Amino acid sequence: RDCPEAEADAIMNGAMGHGVMKNYTHAFSADHLCDDHQKEMRDLAKKHEVQMITVERIKQKFDAYDVDGSGQIEFDEFRKILLDILQVKDETDVPVDRLRTLWRSVDVDGSGEIDFEEFLQWYRQYFESDAGKARSPIEVFYSKLVGDRRHKDTAS
């Protein structure tokens, strides 16, 4: 079920006005109307300035790749993600050292696992195409990877 935060805002600020509903603010707080998962998704959407529906869609991808259900992506799962998203048929086409470099860029906190927030940021950066531009995930990924590399070279 969706988090009814917008419905609560509409009730509090809409037809009933501020005066009548002011005493009931806590009753319609999103914190009281949402479960922990919905709160986490809502907080991530706000923090990263992303629509809630985008966060939920990427969370579904994350969960599909988290085959052991740990809530974290481990290196082997990450390898499968890349091979799948980049449509690589032969895993030897992607060298292990490149995979490890990519892994380190995603595992920002160095924990050895990728949590959903790390995945969300990485996936949006490399696999979300700009609005109105029909580009494949491979094009987006490699164009941003080359751009990142150029930026690092000019900064040195």
Side-chain angles (χ1 to χ4, degrees), residues 13-28:
N13 298 321
M16 297 191 79
H18 293 284
V20 175
M21 295 304 292
K22 198 168 207 149
N23 294 332
Y24 299 101
T25 300
H26 70 282
F28 290 101

Side-chain angles (χ1 to χ4, degrees), residues 4-5 8-9 11-12 21 24-33:
E5 181 178 32
D9 288 343
I11 291 169
M12 290 175 57
M21 295 304 292
Y24 299 101
T25 300
H26 70 282
F28 290 101
S29 167
D31 291 336
H32 291 93
L33 298 172

Side-chain angles (χ1 to χ4, degrees), residues 49-146:
E49 298 177 350
V50 184
Q51 291 184 353
M52 180 75 167
I53 194 164
T54 301
V55 174
E56 289 288 351
R57 182 176 43 77
I58 295 173
K59 177 68 167 135
Q60 288 176 345
K61 291 180 185 297
F62 178 88
D63 290 343
Y65 289 117
D66 180 20
V67 294
D68 65 0
S70 67
Q72 305 286 326
I73 299 292
E74 289 81 21
F75 183 77
D76 285 338
E77 292 168 327
F78 179 72
R79 181 180 55 79
K80 291 175 187 170
I81 292 170
L82 277 178
L83 297 177
D84 183 44
I85 291 174
L86 298 177
Q87 301 170 5
V88 175
K89 303 287 185 236
D90 181 0
E91 61 185 67
T92 61
D93 288 344
V94 181
V96 174
D97 60 332
R98 177 154 305 164
L99 281 172
R100 293 217 181 275
T101 299
L102 291 169
W103 170 260
R104 286 189 296 273
S105 72
V106 182
D107 183 20
V108 178
D109 64 5
S111 66
E113 299 174 319
I114 299 170
D115 64 25
F116 176 64
E117 185 172 7
E118 291 169 321
F119 182 83
L120 173 68
Q121 293 175 287
W122 171 76
Y123 190 88
R124 287 193 60 240
Q125 180 180 359
Y126 290 108
F127 299 105
E128 291 281 308
S129 60
D130 297 329
K133 295 182 182 177
R135 294 170 58 190
S136 75
I138 297 168
E139 291 173 308
V140 174
F141 177 75
Y142 280 110
S143 69
K144 289 186 180 183
L145 190 61
V146 169

